[in-house]
Amino acid sequence: MWAAVKARLRRREAAKPEPVPPSESQQPEAPSTANLPASVPRAVEVRPRAVPSTPASRESDASLFTDGMLGRRLTEGTVDEVLDDLEIALLQSDVAVPVIGRLRRDLRRELAGRKLRFGVDAEEAIRTSLERSVRAILARPPIHLAEAIRAHASRPYVILFVGVNGTGKTTSIAKLAGWLRREGLSCVIAAGDTFRAGAIEQLLVHGERLGVRVVRQQEGSDPAAVAFDAVAHAKAKKVDVVLIDTAGRQHTNENLIEEAKKIRRVVAPALTLFVGDALSGNDVLEQAKLFDTAIGIDGLILTKLDADVKGGAALSATYVTKKPILFVGVGQGYGDFAVFDPDWMVHRLFAEGTGG
Ligand SMILES: Nc1nc2c(ncn2[C@@H]2O[C@H](COP(=O)(O)OP(=O)(O)OP(=O)(O)O)[C@@H](O)[C@H]2O)c(=O)[nH]1
Ligand SMILES: [Mg+2]
């Protein structure tokens, strides 16, 4: 994200027209001192009055980088003009409009009225301010999953996974099963995607590799019944966690949405996680919002961040849904999964010399 913003700032500077020198006719003529009486001091330097602001000179005034700005206070107008320009770079980095609104307010508050001192790089001032603002957005009160599971009143702790097709729900469940084991917690997986051909087999392969039990029924059976079985099994065997896979569904698919609601009614999950694919850009936050409205979500898992050079989707999804990101997927391997760390994300977004 920062790389795009920086490129934009630099392009802005490069495109900035040269300040227009006041034309001869605009220069107030210096009064002639030749005929004045000798008592009047001759050494008085007569400066031309300030040139009225033309569009070109306003443009150069709006530059944060010219020497002319040093030592002067930035006006809200100046900051706004720069922000108008940055908006394009932010939108291209998948930063959603409401997030840009928030960044704008934060930057205006921090930069307007501020004096740029000699040696203080304006680009750095923008970067610092943006970074602070992004960090504040990402630092939503987190859900510490292992702690939440241990603190939960009853066993098992049930987690339902929802999201559109192919975002990485099943892969994330497998990764999370491995993560839970490393945390010393046991789990079973409910093969709740009874809709897509091959979905149950896909989970069985993961289960075998990870040594995790997969509770399943026939293809086409009721996912709520599968979830119910898995919970009953976990209760009987004192398993800590049940992870419920579901079929990928478009939020517009009424039947599948009803199915997810039914799973919720039947097993009352402690946590419903929306799995979003960072590569789908702004779509991910629209999906997250609609799933939240239709089913209710508690948090997010963002996948495919390894392939996402823009980075704004994570920022947008958590800002718009007001739900924390719990985990991120950064590859296809079981180990390519991590607890979401806002500092890590900020570092990625503001990385120099990458798409970040
Ligand atoms: N690069 C990358 N690929 C991922 C990541 N997570 C999942 N994938 C890949 O995305 C593809 C889809 O993953 P699935 O887990 O099957 O997605 P799903 O949401 O269960 O898909 P449906 O069941 O069809 O709705 C697979 O090829 C995964 O390997 C990730 O973090 N990074
Ligand atoms: Mg799946």
Side-chain angles (χ1 to χ4, degrees), residues 78-99:
T78 307
V79 173
D80 261 349
E81 274 187 50
V82 174
L83 286 169
D84 282 343
D85 216 12
L86 292 189
E87 193 159 320
I88 297 162
L90 290 168
L91 284 170
Q92 284 168 348
S93 301
D94 291 339
V95 178
V97 172
V99 184

Side-chain angles (χ1 to χ4, degrees), residues 11 36 40 76 84 94 107 117 137-138 147 161 163 169 180 190 211 221 233 238 274 296 324:
R11 217 174 310 140
L36 291 177
V40 177
E76 280 206 4
D84 282 343
D94 291 339
L107 255 71
R117 281 170 293 117
I137 291 173
L138 290 172
E147 284 172 28
F161 295 77
K169 294 178 294 301
L180 288 169
S221 57
H233 172 86
K238 300 201 172 9
F274 167 81

Side-chain angles (χ1 to χ4, degrees), residues 231-248:
V231 173
H233 172 86
K235 273 186 185 153
K237 302 286 179 190
K238 300 201 172 9
V239 173
D240 296 315
V241 184
V242 176
L243 306 172
I244 305 176
D245 193 18
T246 61

